[in-house]
Amino acid sequence: MRRLLSTLLFCLALPVSAATQVSVTTNLGEFVIELEQEKAPVSSENFLRYVEDGSYEGTIFHRVIPGFMAQGGGFDKDLKRRSSYDPIKNESTNGLSNAKATVAMARTQAPDSATRQFYINYQNNTFLDAQGSRPGYAVFGKVVSGFPVIEKMAEIPTTTIRSMGMKDVPEQPIVIESVKIIKN
C-alpha cells in the first residue's frame, strides 16, 4: 500500500504535457487551433514555423466554400502570394481524418507539395483522406474554440477573379491579424 501510494504521488508530480494551441485572430474574431504534434509532427512543425516567423499575420482566407472548407495563409489582402519555405512530406496516412473543424495542409496535385496554406473543414470531408495508395490531405489540428468565426466566413459573398484564376474569393477580405502560441 505504501509503495502504491508513493508511486501514485510520483505520477501526480509529473508535468502534464499539454497539446500546443495556437490563437488566430481575424477581422471577424478569434479561434483556437490545437495541434496534433504526435500524429502529424512534420505538418505541425511546418505550421508553427510560419506562426513563429510572423508571416501568417496579414494573410487572408482567400478561398471559402460554404459546406466544404475555408483556405488561407498564402496570400495578402492584395492577393499577392507570400513566400514559403520548402514543401513538406505529406502525412495524410497519420490516422487523422478531414472531419468537421479539423485543420489540414493545402497542396497541389503533387502529394508532397504543401507549404504554408492550410484549410479548415466545415463538415466531414473524408473523401480528402488517404485511401489505399492514393494520398490525401494531411490533417494536423482541430479548431477547439471559436468555430462560429469560421462559420461566419462562409456568410461572406465570394467572387471569381479570372485574371488570377481564383474562385471562391471572399468579396470582403478575411484578414489574419495575429497568430500566437498560447499553450505549449
Side-chain angles (χ1 to χ4, degrees), residues 24-26 31 33 46-51 53-64 69-85 103-107 114-120 140 150 153 166 170 173-179:
V24 181
T25 303
T26 73
F31 59 93
I33 298 169
N46 178 68
F47 180 75
L48 287 172
R49 189 176 188 185
Y50 292 104
V51 169
D53 77 7
S55 68
Y56 276 139
E57 294 180 10
T59 63
I60 61 168
F61 281 87
H62 67 278
R63 184 173 173 226
V64 178
M69 61 88 215
Q71 181 177 337
F75 295 88
D76 68 17
K77 66 181 178 178
D78 297 319
L79 294 176
K80 291 183 182 167
R81 188 179 296 273
R82 289 281 180 99
S83 63
S84 300
Y85 297 112
V103 184
M105 294 304 304
R107 63 171 177 80
T115 57
R116 63 180 299 127
Q117 291 185 39
F118 61 93
Y119 65 90
I120 303 166
F140 66 92
I150 309 304
M153 292 179 191
M166 297 176 79
I174 303 167
V175 181
I176 296 174
E177 297 173 343
S178 73
V179 184

